[in-house]
Amino acid sequence: MSDLHADRILILDFGSQYTQLIARRVREAGVYCEIHPYDLPAEILRAFAPRGVILSGGPPSAHEDTAPRPDPAVFALGVPVLGICYGMQVMAALLGGIVAPAAQREYGYAQVRLCAHSHLLDGIEDHLDPEGQPLLDVWMSHGDRVESPPPGFDVIAATEHAPCAAIADDSRGFYGVQFHPEVTHTRQGRRILERFIHGICGCQHLWTPTNIIAASIERLRAQIGEDGVLLALSGGVDSSVVAALLHRAIGDQLTCVFVDNGLLRLGESEQVMKTFVQHLGVRVIRVAAEERFLNRLKRVTDPEHKRKLIGNAFIEVFEDEAARLPNIKWLAQGTIYPDVIESAGAKTGKARVIKSHHNVGGLPEQMNLRLVEPLRELFKDEVRQIGIELGLPYEMVYRHPFPGPGLAVRVLGEVDKESLELLRHADHIFIEELRQAGLYDQVSQAFAVLLPVRSVGVVGDNRIHAPVIALRAVETLDFMTARWAHLPAEFLEQVARRIVNEVAGISRVVYDITSKPPATIEWE
């Protein structure tokens, strides 16, 4: 079969909060891409052999002497380059243009007037002005601007405050846009990126769920050979898709281990076993390990320490099980691309650790099993598309994500059995009400958190001083950024009433209205 990575786009990251969205848009256009730091050395740039390069936005100022700049080899690769926001400014500065602070910053909605022809924007418009000039509705976020473009570039779009809102050198395939085509607020953004990726870079639509599955199966068979594989099965979306993919690739060489660690949601253990054993025909070993995990977590309150301990405990269980089975050489996990990024697990190691995922940053340095992670380069929505293609049930594939460390990172502070029971029942009520109200599929992730504080409440005629539950629900496409879900007040009131009345020992319910960033989706 054809190489899915043959047509690839390289994204150089200057620290924009939207860089992951650029990657998602490229993938949605059916083309493989990777994100790398802006200062990727020339030899690696050439070895990557991209069909095109995208320079992301970012917070720096291109006119400053200390501004981050890509290696000039980017512009000598002989492939098209698209600069977005800061990416356009730094390209202009490096190639002989002038960048300066803008007299008036543009942030939010803007209307761009197209003023010259270009391969990038011709025929793409939202409106026409009274003179018949094309207009685009876009999203701006900049305090600097290109005052004059480099030699060979034409100004192809402008706004009142940005005389060079887009520039083009069609002969070399170099383009810059001051606005952000990757965000949904830029209405024609998807068409602009597709024009660059397909029309200008000449990339084919190779990155599709069908092709990804076929390539993954071929790669897994070559990687694993005749060895046995142990899969850490949690019942979540990621590990479920891995189970289906591995089962199709290697059949009976796969053994799934489901660790009933006492950190799961209400009824989850029984549900997982029923789904995989009865409906999918996958071999699953259930390990009762609640005591091991809870003993390990005694008197531990630091979130990172929790994740590391849980990661180590999982590996110990899997290695114990592997020792009982013949020919087990590999440990399979449902690691996905956002896990790697947030754990600073990228090859460069430059990303700051936000939190360690138990299946990336929580692994011990020495393991007896080799890792196989077939979803490592995929975003969550790509994983779901593959799950549907593999025939998994919709309700399983589109189930909300659940963290590998389970409820341990939703009980803030020390974890014990009593706290877990309180949280488990409160969380169940929240999810049950979301389903009954038809809101479950409208939010991307929802859960309850047990806070390490107590508040005064009145139950009947009695004063209580008891724990507080926080509810969290977000909307997101890629889980790299997320907006808090604007659930109806009447709905939240109903959930709070049920939790306080039905979960003995809860005094108060609050709702988290913080987006990501600045917060992470999980509290720990």
Side-chain angles (χ1 to χ4, degrees):
M1 64 173 294
S2 58
D3 181 7
L4 297 188
H5 304 84
D7 288 355
R8 58 172 74 188
I9 297 293
L10 172 63
I11 301 170
L12 294 182
D13 182 20
F14 291 89
S16 169
Q17 62 176 315
Y18 300 134
T19 301
Q20 305 305 325
L21 285 179
I22 300 173
R24 286 302 312 118
R25 299 295 176 254
V26 176
R27 299 278 188 92
E28 287 166 3
V31 177
Y32 179 73
C33 65
E34 289 184 15
I35 298 170
H36 288 273
Y38 67 87
D39 57 351
L40 205 63
E43 62 272 17
I44 299 179
L45 286 168
R46 288 189 286 266
F48 188 81
R51 294 293 298 269
V53 178
I54 297 177
L55 308 178
S56 85
S61 294
H63 55 80
E64 295 179 351
D65 292 339
T66 57
R69 293 177 170 83
D71 192 298
V74 168
F75 305 106
L77 293 173
V79 301
V81 179
L82 172 64
I84 296 174
C85 196
Y86 177 82
M88 177 181 98
Q89 295 168 7
V90 76
M91 177 168 64
L94 285 171
L95 297 180
I98 297 174
V99 181
Q104 182 169 334
R105 178 181 177 180
E106 289 182 308
Y107 184 83
Y109 169 80
Q111 202 164 65
V112 167
R113 176 175 51 84
L114 304 189
C115 51
H117 291 291
S118 71
H119 296 326
L120 183 67
L121 299 180
D122 278 356
I124 300 177
E125 62 194 42
D126 288 307
H127 317 280
L128 296 177
D129 69 9
E131 287 75 41
Q133 289 289 100
L135 300 172
L136 288 172
D137 295 330
V138 303
W139 183 264
M140 292 282 198
S141 180
H142 66 99
D144 298 329
R145 70 183 193 180
V146 176
E147 295 285 347
S148 61
F153 281 78
D154 295 319
V155 176
I156 59 173
T159 69
E160 180 183 354
H161 302 294
C164 300
I167 58 177
D169 181 342
D170 279 328
S171 63
R172 289 187 287 178
F174 293 168
Y175 303 91
V177 292
Q178 186 59 70
F179 54 89
H180 287 271
E182 69 273 24
V183 303
T184 55
H185 302 77
T186 298
R187 293 171 60 186
Q188 300 294 334
R190 188 183 300 266
R191 286 183 65 197
I192 293 168
L193 288 172
E194 288 180 349
R195 174 74 61 81
F196 176 73
I197 295 162
H198 297 298
I200 294 172
C201 297
C203 294
Q204 302 178 69
H205 293 76
L206 299 175
W207 192 256
T208 65
T210 300
N211 288 345
I212 293 169
I213 290 169
S216 297
I217 288 173
E218 186 176 306
R219 185 173 63 249
L220 287 167
R221 287 172 177 167
Q223 180 182 9
I224 295 166
E226 300 298 319
D227 296 338
V229 177
L230 209 62
L231 169 62
L233 180 64
S234 69
V237 177
D238 304 328
S239 66
S240 298
V241 173
V242 172
L245 191 58
L246 280 167
H247 190 61
R248 183 173 293 191
I250 60 172
D252 292 341
Q253 292 170 243
L254 170 67
T255 301
C256 296
V257 172
F258 174 65
V259 182
D260 192 351
N261 58 7
L263 307 175
L264 303 173
R265 290 168 287 197
L266 190 67
E268 188 159 26
S269 177
E270 294 74 16
Q271 180 187 4
V272 168
M273 294 301 293
K274 181 179 179 181
T275 299
F276 282 91
V277 176
Q278 293 183 15
H279 298 298
L280 297 179
V282 177
R283 183 185 180 194
V284 182
I285 297 173
R286 179 177 178 175
V287 179
E290 179 181 37
E291 186 175 352
R292 179 193 292 219
F293 278 78
L294 292 186
N295 285 340
R296 194 71 58 89
L297 290 168
K298 280 183 180 177
R299 292 178 292 280
V300 177
T301 59
D302 178 71
E304 274 297 292
H305 194 195
K306 284 184 188 178
R307 289 176 175 271
K308 298 286 186 182
L309 289 173
I310 291 168
N312 286 337
F314 269 116
I315 295 300
E316 290 171 9
V317 171
F318 299 138
E319 291 190 334
D320 287 348
E321 294 305 314
R324 298 186 181 97
L325 297 167
N327 199 35
I328 297 292
K329 303 291 178 60
W330 298 87
L331 172 65
Q333 295 191 132
T335 307
I336 63 173
Y337 194 28
D339 296 340
V340 176
I341 295 168
E342 289 198 337
S343 296
K347 294 178 182 178
T348 62
K350 287 192 174 184
R352 293 183 179 178
V353 173
I354 298 172
K355 58 187 177 183
S356 293
H357 291 263
H358 82 282
N359 53 353
V360 183
L363 296 178
E365 293 183 6
Q366 299 296 325
M367 290 198 312
N368 297 322
L369 301 174
R370 288 174 287 175
L371 280 179
V372 56
E373 298 172 312
L375 309 181
R376 191 178 177 89
E377 63 184 13
L378 301 181
F379 287 97
K380 178 70 74 173
D381 57 319
E382 293 176 309
V383 173
R384 287 188 164 127
Q385 291 167 10
I386 288 171
I388 293 295
E389 189 86 9
L390 287 167
L392 291 174
Y394 179 92
E395 60 272 15
M396 175 187 290
V397 172
Y398 282 90
R399 187 183 188 195
H400 290 178
F402 187 61
L407 298 181
V409 291
R410 294 178 180 173
V411 172
L412 307 195
E414 185 175 354
V415 179
D416 57 41
K417 194 164 185 174
E418 180 183 1
S419 297
L420 288 165
E421 282 301 308
L422 290 177
L423 177 59
R424 193 172 281 123
H425 284 85
D427 184 79
H428 178 72
I429 290 170
F430 187 25
I431 300 302
E432 185 176 67
E433 288 292 330
L434 281 168
R435 291 190 185 280
Q436 290 179 1
L439 294 170
Y440 184 84
D441 289 328
Q442 294 182 31
V443 299
S444 306
Q445 188 171 0
F447 54 91
V449 179
L450 183 66
L451 304 185
V453 295
R454 291 175 178 267
S455 77
V456 174
V458 179
V459 177
D461 293 325
N462 297 318
R463 174 189 181 277
I464 62 170
H465 188 233
V468 177
I469 285 286
L471 304 179
R472 176 79 157 142
V474 299
E475 299 166 353
T476 180
L477 291 175
D478 56 15
F479 290 85
M480 300 307 299
T481 61
R483 173 179 181 255
W484 66 275
H486 292 223
L487 297 175
E490 296 79 7
F491 168 80
L492 292 172
E493 183 180 26
Q494 165 69 8
V495 175
R497 183 186 302 114
R498 280 197 62 192
I499 289 174
V500 172
N501 287 336
E502 297 177 30
V503 184
I506 297 297
S507 64
R508 192 179 300 264
V509 177
V510 299
Y511 187 54
D512 182 353
I513 60 169
T514 319
S515 293
K516 175 186 181 180
T520 55
I521 293 176
E522 297 287 345
W523 279 50
E524 287 192 347

